[in-house]
Structure formats: structure tokens, C-alpha cells
Amino acid sequence: AQSVTQLGSHVSVSEGALVLLRCNYSSSVPPYLFWYVQYPNQGLQLLLKYTSAATLVKGINGFEAEFKKSETSFHLTKPSAHMSDAAEYFCAVSRGTGGFKTIFGAGTRLFVKA
Amino acid sequence: EAGVAQSPRYKIIEKRQSVAFWCNPISGHATLYWYQQILGQGPKLLIQFQNNGVVDDSQLPKDRFSAERLKGVDSTLKIQPAKLEDSAVYLCASSLAGLSDTQYFGPGTRLTVL
């Protein structure tokens, strides 16, 4: 069965600094991987997804993530943080043995300091 | 395009009472998901429908939770009787069909059990 681990429940960066949110997954078959964002008082929305095409995936708002099979990772990055990036970010994996189930990580809350 | 609709947005009940949540997915979306999101955690899949049929309900506490999707469109999630630990946000999401498709989330229903 698949699982997701997000390292760091809270990450704080300065405006303009690099954003790096970590996600590691386990799956016995090639996974589908997603990053969703939840802004305060809003529903979850998709940032980007990997579905076995290009390993470097670009998403909305300048975010990107790289699928690294050897490291079982799908870390989310953005070169320069903006105040509006403050939100909760969730990594998710679907497609695995034991069922067709989407598993979400516990989430990482991103704080952006002025 | 209308998004995923959920109602009510907020519900407060006492333990041992029953409660029902309603979800209307995006038109044409075959797959519908119900998630439970406890404060500080990622969404946990409760049940997944593909049209009228249940794809996965392995994490649904079937002694107290039930869900149905009539005519492959709207869905209702019920809790009877509620426990204190059911306090959470209940999220409904829909997608076109497969596991690689983006899930579109509704605003959620915040349930407080006293």
C-alpha cells in the first residue's frame, strides 16, 4: 500500500527566499503524485501533479516539483516566496497495491515573513 | 463552471445525535470522494464512488457512518450516532474518472460534536 510523509509540519521563509517543502512517498507501483494547497478559509486546490510523464512538473503560481524515483521523493519548490504563498500544502499519492485510494500527507504550513 | 457544492457549511450537534452532509459534484464527474480532515491532519479518505458504485470504503467506520450516491450524481454522508472524535471538517471532492485526474474540492462542512 502507498503512504506519504511530509517532513516538517511548519516551514518559515522570508519573502523572496527559496521555498522547499519535502514529500516522500512509498508505493509498490509507479505512483501518481500531487501537491494541493489550502489557503485560509478556502478549499483545497491543485498546485501540480505527476502522472508518469516529465519528471519535472511545473504548476501554478511559480511552483514546481521533481519526481525522483531513486529517492522516492516529490519535493515542492519555488525560487522566490511571496506573502501570498502563506498556506497549508499537502502532498498526496494515488495508485498503489491494495486498492485505488488517495493518501494525503499530514500537511506543511508555510509562513512567509516580510 | 460551477464547483463542488456542499451543505451545510457548519453543524454543531451533541454526541449520540445524527447528522447528514450533502454534496453536489461538478457536472460530468464520475468519481466522488468523501474525506475527513481532523484539525492538524491531512484529509483521510472515507469513501470513494465511481458513478453509483463504491470503489473504496475501507476507512469508513461502517458501524456509524453511511454514504450513498443516488443516480451517480449527488451524495449524502451520514453519521449516526455521532461521537466526540467525529469533530472534523468533512470534505467532498470530485474528479473526471481515474486516479490521475485532478480532484476538485468543495468548501467542506465543519462538524462540532459536543
Side-chain angles (χ1 to χ4, degrees), chain B residues 42-96:
Chain B
K44 182 182 84 171
L45 181 70
L46 293 176
I47 189 167
Q48 178 179 337
F49 293 95
Q50 183 86 10
N51 297 311
N52 287 347
V54 175
V55 173
D56 191 294
D57 64 356
S58 58
Q59 299 188 108
L60 185 74
K62 298 181 186 66
D63 58 332
R64 299 185 300 106
F65 285 64
S66 64
E68 60 181 5
R69 189 179 186 194
L70 299 175
K71 300 180 181 178
V73 183
D74 291 9
S75 178
T76 303
L77 177 70
K78 296 180 181 178
I79 307 175
Q80 182 178 12
K83 294 184 175 181
L84 297 177
E85 58 261 36
D86 298 332
S87 294
V89 176
Y90 290 85
L91 299 168
C92 179
S94 69
S95 68
L96 275 172

Side-chain angles (χ1 to χ4, degrees), chain A residues 34 36 46 49, chain B residues 29 94-96 98-104:
Chain A
F34 306 79
Y36 286 87
L46 182 75
K49 64 180 179 181
Chain B
H29 280 193
S94 69
S95 68
L96 275 172
L99 288 174
S100 64
D101 294 322
T102 300
Q103 294 183 36
Y104 295 86

Side-chain angles (χ1 to χ4, degrees), chain A residues 24-39:
Chain A
N24 288 89
Y25 70 92
S26 68
S27 178
S28 55
V29 298
Y32 296 137
L33 294 160
F34 306 79
W35 276 99
Y36 286 87
V37 61
Q38 189 171 32
Y39 296 105

Side-chain angles (χ1 to χ4, degrees), chain A residues 35 37 39 45-49 57-64 76-78 85 89:
Chain A
W35 276 99
V37 61
Y39 296 105
Q45 59 183 277
L46 182 75
L47 265 181
L48 49 80
K49 64 180 179 181
V57 182
K58 295 186 184 299
I60 61 171
N61 300 335
F63 284 93
E64 63 182 37
L76 182 70
T77 60
K78 181 174 181 178
D85 294 328
Y89 293 79

